[in-house]
Amino acid sequence: VQLVESGGGLVQAGGSLRLSCAASGSTFAINNMGWYRQAPGKQRELVASLTSNGGNTNYADSAKGRFTISRDNAKNTMSLQMNSLKPEDTAMYYCNAQGAIASIRFSSWGRGTQVTVSS
């Protein structure tokens, strides 16, 4: 599974961005998908995730009430709508997809898209 993120950029505090992740390859094998972020000098952390049918979502406390994760299985895309952005949201954002093919589990990552929030 290959993942390509887009939608990052520079935005002022209080603004919004919408990140997108396009999946290709063995997309039929994807179960869970999620967004992670990594700021300079910090560990990569989960921002939000959802199951294959989008029924179950999980958000980091820092994202609750501001970010919304969604998924379009027909288009093999996943999005993250980010509102009320704060300078501390500045990070590289990565798309992740997890699943299994012939009982062999995989976890694929995109190359990331940079989000910078100015104060």
Side-chain angles (χ1 to χ4, degrees):
V1 172
Q2 294 77 47
L3 305 171
V4 178
E5 302 96 335
S6 62
L10 173 64
V11 64
Q12 289 188 333
S16 298
L17 281 174
R18 185 176 180 85
L19 306 183
S20 295
C21 173
S24 61
S26 301
T27 57
F28 64 90
I30 296 174
N31 292 325
N32 297 331
M33 296 188 74
W35 288 97
Y36 290 73
R37 69 186 183 187
Q38 187 168 19
K42 295 186 177 181
Q43 289 188 333
R44 190 172 296 188
E45 62 179 3
L46 174 69
V47 177
S49 64
L50 77 173
T51 53
S52 58
N53 62 2
N56 292 322
T57 57
N58 180 43
Y59 292 93
D61 287 343
S62 59
K64 289 179 181 178
R66 300 188 300 128
F67 295 0
T68 302
I69 190 171
S70 60
R71 182 171 174 176
D72 186 335
N73 288 334
K75 296 181 179 179
N76 293 319
T77 58
M78 178 179 65
S79 297
L80 184 68
Q81 177 65 42
M82 304 187 296
N83 299 326
S84 302
L85 283 162
K86 305 175 181 179
E88 50 263 43
D89 294 318
T90 295
M92 185 71 80
Y93 283 70
Y94 297 91
C95 175
N96 174 261
Q98 300 177 9
I101 299 176
S103 300
I104 299 175
R105 300 189 62 81
F106 66 85
S107 179
S108 298
W109 294 91
R111 293 187 174 185
T113 184
Q114 177 68 39
V115 171
T116 303
V117 184
S118 63
S119 58

